[in-house]
Amino acid sequence: MPRTEIRELVAQLRQELEDPFSLDDASLELLIQARDDIEQCLELSSEVACVERKPTIMGKLRAATDSLQTGRPGLTRTVNNLLEVLAGMGI
């Protein structure tokens, strides 16, 4: 499991969220929740619990992506990369 890659993407997401410019409150909250959920999964020793959370995490990321402005290409890229990595693995 490429935990290192996910940790790097979560760090990028955390950095992007430090500047919430052009994010509506709902999208910002979804991204923060998804980030926190992923970080919790990375800390768990049980991947089963993470697999169970995967649809919820991906749903939050997708919902937030739907409303991202074109003025945030870095954030959009990071979220899409997270979706891609999560889709291809166990969490």
Side-chain angles (χ1 to χ4, degrees):
M1 178 173 178
R3 288 180 180 258
T4 303
E5 184 177 3
I6 293 174
R7 287 184 199 282
E8 289 171 2
L9 289 169
V10 170
Q12 288 175 12
L13 179 60
R14 182 176 294 283
Q15 185 176 10
E16 288 284 344
L17 293 178
E18 287 178 5
D19 177 18
F21 175 73
S22 77
L23 282 177
D24 61 85
D25 291 341
S27 295
L28 179 61
E29 184 62 28
L30 285 169
L31 290 170
I32 290 170
Q33 289 174 4
R35 180 202 64 206
D36 292 347
D37 289 347
I38 294 167
E39 287 176 335
Q40 288 174 2
C41 280
L42 291 171
E43 292 174 9
L44 293 174
S45 59
S46 169
E47 289 191 27
V48 173
C50 291
V51 170
E52 292 172 356
R53 289 181 174 182
K54 180 180 171 182
T56 302
I57 293 169
M58 292 184 72
K60 290 174 184 176
L61 290 171
R62 284 189 187 112
T65 302
D66 290 343
S67 64
L68 286 177
Q69 308 267 330
T70 57
R72 297 298 302 266
L75 178 58
T76 303
R77 184 174 37 259
T78 299
V79 171
N80 286 333
N81 288 342
L82 269 169
L83 283 167
E84 186 177 312
V85 170
L86 294 173
M89 53 188 291
I91 78 161

